[in-house]
Amino acid sequence: MNTADIEHILSKLKSIEPKLHTKIFGAYNHSSRINDNDNVKKRRANLISHSNEALRTLKVKGVNLGNKENPTIRAALVIDYLVRNIRNDSNPATSKMYFRSGIPIPVLMDILRLGKNRKKDLEQMQMLLGSYLRGTAIATKITSVGGNGSSRSNKQNARSLRKRNADGTAISTKSAAAMENVSPSGLIRDLCINLGPLIPDAEFVFKYATKIFDALANNVRNKKSKSSSSSRRREQDSLRQDMARCLDCYEGACFYLAVKESEGANYNDVLKKKASAKISLKNQKIKEIKKKNSDGGGTKEDD
């Protein structure tokens, strides 16, 4: 039954968010080479296999995500966890493993046909499921994809890119186009989910951190304005390349600033609530004293 639920979720994802489905598995084209289409099928099969393995792990552990959970919700959350945490360092053209992405909560709710009032329930179940799967065999499997060779190749490419930038030579046209619009990798969302119990308001932190990142990315985006000087454009290019190379660091910094803002806002709210409680208590005591005096005065007149 698990496979049927998984297949159902993936079919719904393809119909609701076809671009996201393609981002995870690659594009299936009837006119392309057979090998390319075989890889798409193998990526999907690998995700289904990993999902079944994760669901079996949760069953063995006796995990309960809450009274409002059902097998379809669990399958959807498992798929979301796997695609968010997969580390695919292989060549995208030949890789037989699905690619890292993330399924936004609104999309999950749409797939599962959940009302807006179920958003917090789904987010809590998402966080709990992640805490149970981290540290398991399935977690090791999806975070070690690509092997040492791919990792070594990526490190060499990164060093090469840093050297070329340090020399002041231009990067390739393809790289420049890819970094034209810097977008978050999903680390902010992952941090909010994983550290949810430790921060005052995970939802606020996610929105605020994303807002900071978007503002920063927009600032370094090359808008090709005639008023921009050549030095300004070079500075934007340099900053944009740095963001692309050190994306995790920038996202982590945005997350940190958002948490500090959340803690500050939360602390101010606590102070306001304490002050309000003191005033209410004081007014209550005044009322009690007045009532006691009034009752005492009435008794004396009767005597």
Side-chain angles (χ1 to χ4, degrees):
M1 185 62 186
N2 287 343
T3 301
D5 289 327
I6 296 163
E7 289 277 11
H8 171 72
I9 296 299
L10 293 178
S11 296
K12 293 287 288 182
L13 176 63
K14 187 175 182 179
S15 63
I16 293 172
E17 286 289 339
K19 289 184 179 179
L20 182 56
H21 186 275
T22 300
K23 185 178 179 181
I24 295 170
F25 299 113
Y28 186 89
N29 192 334
H30 292 284
S31 63
S32 65
R33 292 179 302 171
I34 296 175
N35 289 340
D36 292 341
N37 290 331
D38 282 347
N39 287 337
V40 174
K41 292 178 182 178
K42 287 175 181 176
R43 289 167 195 150
R44 186 182 175 100
N46 278 326
L47 179 55
I48 292 172
S49 175
H50 284 172
S51 298
N52 276 318
E53 187 175 343
L55 289 168
R56 283 194 296 271
T57 299
L58 294 171
K59 186 176 181 179
V60 170
K61 285 175 170 282
V63 173
N64 180 12
L65 299 179
N67 297 329
K68 298 180 180 179
E69 181 207 4
N70 60 48
T72 309
I73 290 177
R74 180 173 289 211
L77 292 176
V78 162
I79 291 170
D80 172 63
Y81 172 83
L82 292 173
V83 298
R84 276 191 294 105
N85 291 279
I86 184 71
R87 297 294 188 271
N88 196 328
D89 298 327
S90 305
N91 184 343
T94 59
S95 174
K96 296 177 178 59
M97 193 60 63
Y98 49 96
F99 300 105
R100 188 181 185 192
S101 184
I103 306 175
I105 286 290
V107 175
L108 283 173
M109 293 175 68
D110 198 6
I111 291 172
L112 298 167
R113 295 184 178 180
L114 299 177
K116 291 182 179 179
N117 60 328
R118 297 289 303 279
K119 182 180 178 182
K120 286 196 173 181
D121 293 332
L122 193 63
E123 288 175 336
Q124 288 175 354
M125 287 188 280
Q126 184 185 48
M127 182 179 67
L128 276 173
L129 182 136
S131 67
Y132 281 113
L133 287 179
R134 280 191 298 277
T136 62
I138 187 67
T140 304
K141 183 177 290 186
I142 64 173
T143 53
S144 60
V145 173
N148 293 331
S150 297
S151 178
R152 192 181 305 114
S153 176
N154 284 341
K155 288 178 181 178
Q156 289 174 349
N157 289 338
R159 283 197 298 268
S160 176
L161 180 62
R162 283 195 295 270
K163 183 177 180 181
R164 288 199 300 274
N165 289 330
D167 292 342
T169 55
I171 59 173
S172 66
T173 305
K174 184 177 179 181
S175 298
M179 289 188 290
E180 182 66 27
N181 294 318
V182 182
S183 57
S185 66
L187 178 62
I188 293 173
R189 182 166 175 258
D190 291 347
L191 288 171
C192 289
I193 292 171
N194 297 337
L195 302 178
L198 304 177
I199 54 182
D201 188 342
E203 187 176 356
F204 168 83
V205 169
F206 173 72
K207 290 180 179 178
Y208 196 83
T210 303
K211 185 178 179 180
I212 295 173
F213 185 92
D214 289 344
L216 186 59
N218 186 60
N219 185 56
V220 301
R221 188 174 294 119
N222 190 354
K223 299 177 181 178
K224 299 180 180 179
S225 173
K226 292 181 180 180
S227 60
S228 299
S229 63
S230 58
S231 60
R232 170 61 178 165
R233 287 194 293 272
R234 282 197 299 272
E235 183 181 352
Q236 286 179 320
D237 289 340
S238 177
L239 289 172
R240 188 166 57 252
Q241 292 167 27
D242 188 64
M243 283 191 72
R245 285 196 307 271
C246 309
L247 189 57
D248 286 353
C249 297
Y250 280 89
E251 288 185 84
C254 292
F255 173 79
Y256 172 79
L257 292 173
V259 169
K260 299 303 291 183
E261 179 70 17
S262 174
E263 288 176 343
N266 186 64
Y267 182 65
N268 289 334
D269 288 342
V270 170
L271 291 179
K272 288 177 182 178
K273 287 179 181 178
K274 285 184 177 179
S276 179
K278 285 183 179 179
I279 293 171
S280 298
L281 183 62
K282 186 177 180 181
N283 290 337
Q284 184 65 28
K285 286 183 178 179
I286 291 172
K287 287 180 181 179
E288 289 176 357
I289 292 172
K290 285 182 178 179
K291 185 178 180 182
K292 192 180 292 184
N293 291 338
S294 177
D295 292 343
T299 305
K300 288 180 181 178
E301 289 178 0
D302 290 339
D303 291 342

Short mmCIF file of all heavy atoms in Angstrom, two decimals, residues 189-234:
data_model
loop_
_atom_site.label_atom_id
_atom_site.label_comp_id
_atom_site.label_asym_id
_atom_site.label_seq_id
_atom_site.Cartn_x
_atom_site.Cartn_y
_atom_site.Cartn_z
N ARG A 189 14.89 27.11 5.06
CA ARG A 189 13.72 26.31 5.40
C ARG A 189 14.11 25.09 6.23
O ARG A 189 13.45 24.74 7.21
CB ARG A 189 13.01 25.87 4.11
CG ARG A 189 11.74 25.06 4.32
CD ARG A 189 10.97 25.01 3.00
NE ARG A 189 9.81 24.15 3.12
CZ ARG A 189 9.75 22.91 2.66
NH1 ARG A 189 10.80 22.39 2.08
NH2 ARG A 189 8.65 22.20 2.78
N ASP A 190 15.20 24.43 5.84
CA ASP A 190 15.67 23.25 6.58
C ASP A 190 16.04 23.62 8.02
O ASP A 190 15.72 22.89 8.96
CB ASP A 190 16.89 22.63 5.88
CG ASP A 190 16.52 22.00 4.54
OD1 ASP A 190 15.31 21.83 4.31
OD2 ASP A 190 17.42 21.71 3.75
N LEU A 191 16.72 24.75 8.18
CA LEU A 191 17.11 25.19 9.53
C LEU A 191 15.89 25.49 10.39
O LEU A 191 15.85 25.16 11.57
CB LEU A 191 18.00 26.44 9.42
CG LEU A 191 19.43 26.21 8.90
CD1 LEU A 191 20.12 27.54 8.65
CD2 LEU A 191 20.25 25.38 9.88
N CYS A 192 14.89 26.12 9.78
CA CYS A 192 13.67 26.44 10.52
C CYS A 192 12.94 25.18 10.97
O CYS A 192 12.39 25.13 12.07
CB CYS A 192 12.73 27.30 9.66
SG CYS A 192 13.32 28.99 9.41
N ILE A 193 12.96 24.15 10.12
CA ILE A 193 12.31 22.89 10.47
C ILE A 193 13.10 22.15 11.54
O ILE A 193 12.55 21.71 12.56
CB ILE A 193 12.15 22.01 9.22
CG1 ILE A 193 11.14 22.64 8.25
CG2 ILE A 193 11.69 20.60 9.60
CD1 ILE A 193 11.07 21.98 6.91
N ASN A 194 14.41 22.03 11.33
CA ASN A 194 15.26 21.25 12.25
C ASN A 194 15.42 21.92 13.61
O ASN A 194 15.53 21.24 14.64
CB ASN A 194 16.63 21.03 11.63
CG ASN A 194 16.56 20.20 10.36
OD1 ASN A 194 15.61 19.46 10.15
ND2 ASN A 194 17.55 20.33 9.49
N LEU A 195 15.45 23.25 13.63
CA LEU A 195 15.67 23.98 14.88
C LEU A 195 14.38 24.62 15.40
O LEU A 195 14.43 25.47 16.28
CB LEU A 195 16.74 25.06 14.68
CG LEU A 195 18.11 24.56 14.20
CD1 LEU A 195 19.06 25.73 13.98
CD2 LEU A 195 18.72 23.59 15.20
N GLY A 196 13.26 24.20 14.82
CA GLY A 196 11.97 24.79 15.20
C GLY A 196 11.70 24.89 16.69
O GLY A 196 11.31 25.96 17.18
N PRO A 197 11.95 23.81 17.47
CA PRO A 197 11.67 23.87 18.91
C PRO A 197 12.57 24.83 19.68
O PRO A 197 12.26 25.19 20.81
CB PRO A 197 11.91 22.42 19.37
CG PRO A 197 11.85 21.59 18.13
CD PRO A 197 12.36 22.46 17.04
N LEU A 198 13.68 25.24 19.08
CA LEU A 198 14.67 26.06 19.80
C LEU A 198 14.53 27.55 19.52
O LEU A 198 15.21 28.36 20.15
CB LEU A 198 16.08 25.60 19.44
CG LEU A 198 16.40 24.12 19.68
CD1 LEU A 198 17.81 23.80 19.21
CD2 LEU A 198 16.24 23.77 21.15
N ILE A 199 13.70 27.91 18.54
CA ILE A 199 13.56 29.33 18.19
C ILE A 199 12.14 29.79 18.50
O ILE A 199 11.20 29.01 18.46
CB ILE A 199 13.92 29.59 16.71
CG1 ILE A 199 13.11 28.68 15.78
CG2 ILE A 199 15.38 29.40 16.46
CD1 ILE A 199 13.46 28.85 14.31
N PRO A 200 11.98 31.08 18.85
CA PRO A 200 10.67 31.59 19.30
C PRO A 200 9.55 31.39 18.30
O PRO A 200 8.46 30.96 18.64
CB PRO A 200 10.93 33.08 19.54
CG PRO A 200 12.41 33.19 19.74
CD PRO A 200 13.02 32.12 18.89
N ASP A 201 9.80 31.71 17.03
CA ASP A 201 8.73 31.66 16.02
C ASP A 201 9.35 31.26 14.68
O ASP A 201 9.87 32.10 13.94
CB ASP A 201 8.05 33.03 15.92
CG ASP A 201 6.81 33.00 15.04
OD1 ASP A 201 6.67 32.05 14.27
OD2 ASP A 201 5.99 33.93 15.14
N ALA A 202 9.29 29.95 14.36
CA ALA A 202 9.93 29.44 13.16
C ALA A 202 9.33 30.03 11.88
O ALA A 202 10.05 30.31 10.92
CB ALA A 202 9.83 27.91 13.12
N GLU A 203 8.03 30.25 11.88
CA GLU A 203 7.37 30.80 10.70
C GLU A 203 7.84 32.23 10.42
O GLU A 203 8.14 32.59 9.29
CB GLU A 203 5.85 30.78 10.87
CG GLU A 203 5.08 31.17 9.63
CD GLU A 203 3.59 31.04 9.79
OE1 GLU A 203 3.14 30.57 10.86
OE2 GLU A 203 2.85 31.42 8.87
N PHE A 204 7.93 33.02 11.50
CA PHE A 204 8.42 34.40 11.35
C PHE A 204 9.86 34.40 10.86
O PHE A 204 10.23 35.17 9.98
CB PHE A 204 8.33 35.14 12.69
CG PHE A 204 9.07 36.45 12.71
CD1 PHE A 204 8.47 37.60 12.22
CD2 PHE A 204 10.36 36.53 13.21
CE1 PHE A 204 9.15 38.81 12.23
CE2 PHE A 204 11.05 37.73 13.22
CZ PHE A 204 10.44 38.87 12.73
N VAL A 205 10.69 33.52 11.44
CA VAL A 205 12.11 33.45 11.08
C VAL A 205 12.27 33.10 9.60
O VAL A 205 13.09 33.71 8.89
CB VAL A 205 12.86 32.41 11.96
CG1 VAL A 205 14.25 32.13 11.41
CG2 VAL A 205 12.95 32.91 13.39
N PHE A 206 11.49 32.13 9.12
CA PHE A 206 11.58 31.73 7.71
C PHE A 206 11.24 32.91 6.79
O PHE A 206 11.97 33.21 5.84
CB PHE A 206 10.65 30.56 7.43
CG PHE A 206 10.57 30.19 5.97
CD1 PHE A 206 11.64 29.57 5.34
CD2 PHE A 206 9.44 30.48 5.23
CE1 PHE A 206 11.58 29.25 3.99
CE2 PHE A 206 9.37 30.16 3.89
CZ PHE A 206 10.44 29.54 3.27
N LYS A 207 10.13 33.58 7.08
CA LYS A 207 9.69 34.69 6.23
C LYS A 207 10.69 35.85 6.28
O LYS A 207 11.02 36.45 5.25
CB LYS A 207 8.31 35.18 6.67
CG LYS A 207 7.20 34.19 6.35
CD LYS A 207 5.85 34.72 6.81
CE LYS A 207 4.73 33.74 6.49
NZ LYS A 207 3.41 34.23 6.97
N TYR A 208 11.18 36.18 7.48
CA TYR A 208 12.09 37.32 7.64
C TYR A 208 13.45 37.03 7.01
O TYR A 208 14.03 37.89 6.34
CB TYR A 208 12.24 37.65 9.13
CG TYR A 208 12.82 39.01 9.40
CD1 TYR A 208 12.01 40.14 9.40
CD2 TYR A 208 14.18 39.17 9.66
CE1 TYR A 208 12.54 41.40 9.65
CE2 TYR A 208 14.71 40.42 9.91
CZ TYR A 208 13.89 41.53 9.90
OH TYR A 208 14.42 42.78 10.13
N ALA A 209 13.96 35.80 7.21
CA ALA A 209 15.25 35.42 6.64
C ALA A 209 15.18 35.42 5.11
O ALA A 209 16.10 35.88 4.43
CB ALA A 209 15.67 34.05 7.15
N THR A 210 14.08 34.91 4.57
CA THR A 210 13.89 34.90 3.12
C THR A 210 13.81 36.32 2.57
O THR A 210 14.35 36.63 1.50
CB THR A 210 12.61 34.13 2.75
OG1 THR A 210 12.68 32.80 3.29
CG2 THR A 210 12.45 34.04 1.23
N LYS A 211 13.16 37.19 3.33
CA LYS A 211 13.05 38.60 2.93
C LYS A 211 14.43 39.26 2.88
O LYS A 211 14.74 40.00 1.94
CB LYS A 211 12.14 39.33 3.92
CG LYS A 211 11.84 40.78 3.54
CD LYS A 211 10.89 41.40 4.55
CE LYS A 211 10.58 42.86 4.20
NZ LYS A 211 9.66 43.47 5.18
N ILE A 212 15.26 38.98 3.89
CA ILE A 212 16.62 39.53 3.91
C ILE A 212 17.42 39.02 2.72
O ILE A 212 18.10 39.78 2.03
CB ILE A 212 17.34 39.15 5.23
CG1 ILE A 212 16.65 39.79 6.43
CG2 ILE A 212 18.81 39.60 5.18
CD1 ILE A 212 17.20 39.32 7.77
N PHE A 213 17.33 37.71 2.48
CA PHE A 213 18.08 37.11 1.37
C PHE A 213 17.64 37.69 0.03
O PHE A 213 18.47 38.03 -0.82
CB PHE A 213 17.90 35.59 1.36
CG PHE A 213 18.74 34.88 0.33
CD1 PHE A 213 20.00 34.40 0.65
CD2 PHE A 213 18.27 34.71 -0.97
CE1 PHE A 213 20.78 33.76 -0.30
CE2 PHE A 213 19.05 34.09 -1.93
CZ PHE A 213 20.30 33.61 -1.60
N ASP A 214 16.33 37.81 -0.16
CA ASP A 214 15.81 38.36 -1.43
C ASP A 214 16.28 39.79 -1.65
O ASP A 214 16.62 40.19 -2.77
CB ASP A 214 14.28 38.31 -1.44
CG ASP A 214 13.75 36.89 -1.57
OD1 ASP A 214 14.54 36.01 -1.96
OD2 ASP A 214 12.56 36.65 -1.27
N ALA A 215 16.30 40.57 -0.55
CA ALA A 215 16.75 41.96 -0.66
C ALA A 215 18.23 42.01 -1.04
O ALA A 215 18.65 42.83 -1.87
CB ALA A 215 16.53 42.68 0.66
N LEU A 216 19.02 41.11 -0.45
CA LEU A 216 20.45 41.05 -0.75
C LEU A 216 20.69 40.61 -2.19
O LEU A 216 21.51 41.20 -2.91
CB LEU A 216 21.13 40.08 0.22
CG LEU A 216 22.66 39.98 0.17
CD1 LEU A 216 23.30 41.34 0.46
CD2 LEU A 216 23.15 38.95 1.18
N ALA A 217 19.96 39.56 -2.61
CA ALA A 217 20.11 39.06 -3.98
C ALA A 217 19.68 40.12 -5.00
O ALA A 217 20.31 40.26 -6.05
CB ALA A 217 19.28 37.79 -4.16
N ASN A 218 18.63 40.84 -4.68
CA ASN A 218 18.15 41.89 -5.58
C ASN A 218 19.17 43.03 -5.70
O ASN A 218 19.32 43.64 -6.76
CB ASN A 218 16.81 42.44 -5.08
CG ASN A 218 16.20 43.43 -6.05
OD1 ASN A 218 15.91 43.09 -7.19
ND2 ASN A 218 15.99 44.65 -5.60
N ASN A 219 19.88 43.27 -4.62
CA ASN A 219 20.87 44.35 -4.61
C ASN A 219 22.07 44.04 -5.51
O ASN A 219 22.68 44.95 -6.07
CB ASN A 219 21.35 44.60 -3.18
CG ASN A 219 22.28 45.79 -3.08
OD1 ASN A 219 21.95 46.89 -3.48
ND2 ASN A 219 23.48 45.55 -2.55
N VAL A 220 22.41 42.75 -5.62
CA VAL A 220 23.59 42.38 -6.44
C VAL A 220 23.19 41.94 -7.84
O VAL A 220 24.05 41.60 -8.64
CB VAL A 220 24.39 41.25 -5.76
CG1 VAL A 220 24.86 41.68 -4.39
CG2 VAL A 220 23.58 39.96 -5.67
N ARG A 221 21.90 41.95 -8.12
CA ARG A 221 21.45 41.55 -9.46
C ARG A 221 21.82 42.63 -10.47
O ARG A 221 21.65 43.82 -10.22
CB ARG A 221 19.94 41.32 -9.45
CG ARG A 221 19.43 40.70 -10.76
CD ARG A 221 17.96 40.35 -10.65
NE ARG A 221 17.75 39.28 -9.69
CZ ARG A 221 17.02 39.40 -8.59
NH1 ARG A 221 16.42 40.54 -8.32
NH2 ARG A 221 16.87 38.39 -7.78
N ASN A 222 22.31 42.18 -11.60
CA ASN A 222 22.70 43.12 -12.64
C ASN A 222 21.46 43.59 -13.40
O ASN A 222 20.87 42.84 -14.18
CB ASN A 222 23.68 42.43 -13.61
CG ASN A 222 24.30 43.43 -14.58
OD1 ASN A 222 23.91 44.60 -14.61
ND2 ASN A 222 25.25 42.97 -15.37
N LYS A 223 21.03 44.81 -13.13
CA LYS A 223 19.81 45.33 -13.75
C LYS A 223 20.06 46.01 -15.09
O LYS A 223 19.14 46.52 -15.72
CB LYS A 223 19.14 46.31 -12.78
CG LYS A 223 18.74 45.65 -11.46
CD LYS A 223 18.15 46.65 -10.49
CE LYS A 223 17.78 46.01 -9.18
NZ LYS A 223 17.24 46.98 -8.21
N LYS A 224 21.32 46.05 -15.52
CA LYS A 224 21.70 46.62 -16.82
C LYS A 224 21.14 48.04 -17.02
O LYS A 224 20.61 48.39 -18.06
CB LYS A 224 21.20 45.70 -17.94
CG LYS A 224 21.81 44.30 -17.90
CD LYS A 224 21.32 43.44 -19.02
CE LYS A 224 21.93 42.04 -18.95
NZ LYS A 224 21.45 41.18 -20.02
N SER A 225 21.27 48.80 -15.96
CA SER A 225 20.80 50.19 -16.04
C SER A 225 21.87 51.05 -16.68
O SER A 225 23.07 50.88 -16.44
CB SER A 225 20.47 50.71 -14.62
OG SER A 225 20.18 52.07 -14.67
N LYS A 226 21.43 52.01 -17.51
CA LYS A 226 22.38 52.90 -18.18
C LYS A 226 23.09 53.81 -17.18
O LYS A 226 24.21 54.25 -17.42
CB LYS A 226 21.64 53.76 -19.21
CG LYS A 226 21.10 52.95 -20.39
CD LYS A 226 20.41 53.86 -21.38
CE LYS A 226 19.87 53.06 -22.57
NZ LYS A 226 19.18 53.94 -23.55
N SER A 227 22.41 54.07 -16.07
CA SER A 227 23.01 54.96 -15.06
C SER A 227 24.08 54.27 -14.23
O SER A 227 24.86 54.92 -13.55
CB SER A 227 21.91 55.51 -14.14
OG SER A 227 21.25 54.44 -13.48
N SER A 228 24.12 52.92 -14.26
CA SER A 228 25.12 52.18 -13.48
C SER A 228 26.50 52.32 -14.11
O SER A 228 26.66 52.11 -15.32
CB SER A 228 24.74 50.70 -13.39
OG SER A 228 23.49 50.56 -12.75
N SER A 229 27.47 52.64 -13.29
CA SER A 229 28.84 52.76 -13.79
C SER A 229 29.45 51.39 -13.97
O SER A 229 28.97 50.39 -13.43
CB SER A 229 29.67 53.59 -12.80
OG SER A 229 29.76 52.91 -11.56
N SER A 230 30.53 51.33 -14.71
CA SER A 230 31.20 50.05 -14.95
C SER A 230 31.76 49.48 -13.65
O SER A 230 31.75 48.26 -13.44
CB SER A 230 32.32 50.22 -15.98
OG SER A 230 33.26 51.19 -15.52
N SER A 231 32.24 50.35 -12.76
CA SER A 231 32.77 49.88 -11.48
C SER A 231 31.66 49.28 -10.62
O SER A 231 31.86 48.28 -9.93
CB SER A 231 33.46 51.02 -10.73
OG SER A 231 32.54 52.08 -10.47
N ARG A 232 30.48 49.90 -10.67
CA ARG A 232 29.33 49.38 -9.91
C ARG A 232 28.92 48.01 -10.44
O ARG A 232 28.62 47.10 -9.66
CB ARG A 232 28.16 50.37 -10.01
CG ARG A 232 26.82 49.86 -9.48
CD ARG A 232 26.90 49.51 -8.02
NE ARG A 232 25.61 49.08 -7.52
CZ ARG A 232 25.43 48.45 -6.38
NH1 ARG A 232 26.47 48.16 -5.62
NH2 ARG A 232 24.22 48.10 -5.99
N ARG A 233 28.92 47.84 -11.75
CA ARG A 233 28.56 46.56 -12.34
C ARG A 233 29.58 45.48 -12.00
O ARG A 233 29.22 44.33 -11.73
CB ARG A 233 28.40 46.69 -13.86
CG ARG A 233 27.13 47.44 -14.28
CD ARG A 233 26.86 47.24 -15.77
NE ARG A 233 27.87 47.89 -16.60
CZ ARG A 233 27.79 49.15 -17.01
NH1 ARG A 233 26.76 49.89 -16.65
NH2 ARG A 233 28.74 49.67 -17.76
N ARG A 234 30.86 45.86 -11.99
CA ARG A 234 31.90 44.90 -11.61
C ARG A 234 31.73 44.48 -10.15
O ARG A 234 31.92 43.32 -9.80
CB ARG A 234 33.30 45.51 -11.83
CG ARG A 234 33.74 45.51 -13.29
CD ARG A 234 35.24 45.73 -13.39
NE ARG A 234 35.65 47.00 -12.82
CZ ARG A 234 35.70 48.16 -13.47
NH1 ARG A 234 35.35 48.20 -14.76
NH2 ARG A 234 36.09 49.28 -12.87
#
